[in-house]
Amino acid sequence: LAERYPSESPHRALAEWLDSWATQDWDRLTMASQPSWRSRQPDPRGALQGAYEHLHLTKWSVPMKIAPVVRQENPLSGATGWQPFVVWVDLRCRVRYTVVDDDGAPLKEVATVILARVVRQHSDGTTAERDDPTAHWSVNPISMTKGQPAMTREIPLAV
């Protein structure tokens, strides 16, 4: 499904991340995650697998409407000085997943809306301008763990 979104777009990056979650391809999910997040994790693949292996994604959608790109000064760029701009897009995506136990037995089904933060960075985790051809869009995995409570509902399992 990711192929229906324009390449090198934040929408495509989010769609590839969701595809990777749906297929439980932990290596691909790790590479689709924000480089600066990956660099701070001792085991980013293990962290993602631990967070998502019991959540089987069954449906998802990413809005086609282009959200505005946000530019903001980054005071957290470290002692070497300011990196002038962080570029990101927040995209609402609808997801539906089944929570399973260790044996794969379904426990409950959840439908929610997630506000996904999609960030443009270089592979080393440094920030990049939107039009920088050496940078890529990637998903901040922390943003994906925060369903919007008012838009989350449990769905009874079919018996």
Side-chain angles (χ1 to χ4, degrees):
L1 292 173
E3 294 75 32
R4 69 181 181 178
Y5 298 94
S7 64
E8 285 305 314
S9 71
H11 298 81
R12 176 72 166 262
L14 179 55
E16 288 174 352
W17 199 95
L18 291 166
D19 267 350
S20 300
W21 174 13
T23 60
Q24 296 199 335
D25 184 335
W26 309 122
D27 291 327
R28 203 170 123 217
L29 188 66
T30 301
M31 292 311 297
S33 295
Q34 185 176 350
S36 60
W37 176 85
R38 290 192 323 250
S39 70
R40 291 189 303 270
Q41 302 300 313
D43 179 11
R45 183 191 185 280
L48 290 167
Q49 183 175 353
Y52 293 96
E53 69 183 335
H54 291 96
L55 307 176
H56 292 189
L57 188 63
T58 55
K59 287 184 177 181
W60 61 265
S61 65
V62 176
M64 288 300 289
K65 182 178 178 186
I66 302 293
V69 174
V70 176
R71 295 167 54 133
Q72 178 176 319
E73 292 197 22
N74 180 9
L76 304 176
S77 62
T80 59
W82 286 63
Q83 295 174 340
F85 298 104
V86 175
V87 178
W88 72 80
V89 175
D90 285 335
L91 296 175
R92 289 190 200 291
C93 60
R94 295 182 185 280
V95 299
R96 187 171 179 162
Y97 58 87
T98 303
V99 180
V100 299
D101 66 16
D102 289 340
D103 297 321
L107 300 173
K108 65 180 176 180
E109 194 165 6
V110 176
T112 190
V113 175
I114 296 172
L115 188 61
R117 176 147 295 172
V118 186
V119 179
R120 189 151 179 89
Q121 291 185 335
H122 297 282
S123 60
D124 66 0
T126 56
T127 57
E129 290 290 329
R130 179 178 56 184
D131 298 329
D132 184 339
T134 64
H136 302 282
W137 291 101
S138 58
V139 175
N140 177 300
I142 296 168
S143 70
M144 298 303 290
T145 62
K146 299 176 182 165
Q148 304 200 338
M151 299 180 178
T152 300
R153 62 186 171 93
E154 286 189 27
I155 302 159
L157 291 173
V159 181

